[in-house]
Amino acid sequence: MKKLFILLLSVCYSCGLFAQTNASTPVRTLSKEERMKWWREARFGLFIHWGVYAVPAGTYNGHQVNRIGEWIMNRGKIPVAEYQAFAKEFNPVKYDPDAWVKMAKDAGMKYIVITAKHHDGFALFDSKATKWDVVDATPYKKDLLKPLAAACKKYGIKLGFYYSQAQDWNNPGGAAARKVASEGWANPDSAAIDAYTAAHSGHWDPAQTTKSMSQYIDEVAVPQVKELLTNYGPIAVFWWDTPTDMTDEFAEKLNSLLSLQPNIITNDRLKRPNFPGDYKTPEQRIPNLSELDGKDWETCMTMNETWGYKSYAHNWKSTETLVRNLIDIASKGGNYLLNVGPKADGTIPQESIDRLKEVGVWMKANGESIYGTKASPLKALAWGRCTMKEQNGNTILYLSVFDWPKDGQLLVPGNNDVVSAKLLATGKSLSTQKVSDGIQIKLPADAPNPIASVIKLEVKGKIGSTPTAVADPVGGRASVN
Ligand code: FHN
């Protein structure tokens, strides 16, 4: 009897009969704390922005279109039929998901979030809801997410899907954030285009408005989210973006589908303020401590000046900046989601690969100071950043030194008794001394690592002081879309 009941229960569940019972609270088997555990420990993930926009790669009809590459259709006001023609050149024959996932793993990343569908509406997967997908619209004709999911499983990397739930510039009825035409390129028709977009809620082509947004939600977004949550095994993260023209009713329809993956976590961009998700998402910037309110957060950031591939975007951040950003973020208790923008042939720009490799070298030696750590309990540190673990009644402080003291003495605020101090990368012991304003650690003359040398300091008991605002973020900058 008991077996029969369990069988019935699982049949009902797999048929989705329970999924819609309470739309605003999807069925959860784990508490939020349990669902967030792996993510809080992970600290570092890979963002992938990939789609048809990689074909024009920033240039439309010979014009270099301003701003971020994945927005070229909107910024350039490219008609639907012309944009869809780019898909015929989207043929990623060099796509090697195994190598992509290995690259992320070797960089020390623990999860990947890929644009299953960005604002151009193009699905990187085999969708039955539309023909505007990789299988139906490109010569490649194969689902790109299935082999990525397999590679993630193979390497023990969590997989997340980015999904543009509201903006969709190709599937009729999708929303379009209104952008002024002249900001894209010096289009002589800008005034007429702007008048049209003003009268048509941001759209620039009549083909975009042959259906209502409600139809788009029911016929495209809902079925596609179902597909993504059903056909690719365990999905760790769902990453919504730009809730343009979303209503709470539309959001409810999508939110309820999360029951299909009861352990999934989501970001805060489904629809504000009633769908806060599990974590906040500062973009292209690292918040100051004074801005943080105890909620989980993840900074997403580009390595150059675009998310989607642009052939002429060469303003690359240095490896030093990337590593120090990660340390800065971990020292404030956040995660770092660092982006790559693959090309239309399936290759990742070499500049990104090189940087991730170098980040991986640092992480291999010093990852212990990042994974599973908590925000610094110390006040602002002039020489670098600190992360913390509490273990067996003691506190481990990971001191990432950016500016190696010329006098060879590192002053750490606090008066706890010292258990041990060593260089994390080599295990070399360092001598310490209690002084009136803290603990002084005697350092070797030269910094062992020019990016950040980590000292592992274990002290007795807990640290009493409360954090105060730290120095300005390293490398943070404003959003650029
Ligand atoms: O408009 C998008 C943009 O293209 C990119 O995907 C970023 C990533 O966070 N999100 C939006 C802007 O906030």
Side-chain angles (χ1 to χ4, degrees), residues 117-123 130 132 167-171 224:
K117 186 194 88 160
H118 202 267
H119 309 330
D120 67 354
F122 177 73
T130 167
W132 184 228
Q167 286 206 75
D168 190 318
W169 308 324
N170 277 280
N171 289 299
Q224 286 197 332

Side-chain angles (χ1 to χ4, degrees), residues 13 15 24 28 56 93 129 137-138 180 256 272 341 348 444:
Y13 188 76
C15 293
S24 57
R28 302 293 200 201
V93 288
T138 78
V180 176
S256 67
R272 297 189 174 100
I348 291 176

Side-chain angles (χ1 to χ4, degrees), residues 49 68 70-71 118-119 162 239 241-242 269 283 300 307:
H49 275 69
I68 44 187
E70 69 282 7
W71 272 73
H118 202 267
H119 309 330
Y162 167 112
W239 218 98
D241 205 10
T242 67
R269 297 187 183 184
E283 180 167 321
C300 53
W307 303 92

Side-chain angles (χ1 to χ4, degrees), residues 333-344:
N335 280 16
Y336 196 26
L337 187 64
L338 185 58
N339 184 71
V340 295
K343 302 180 190 178

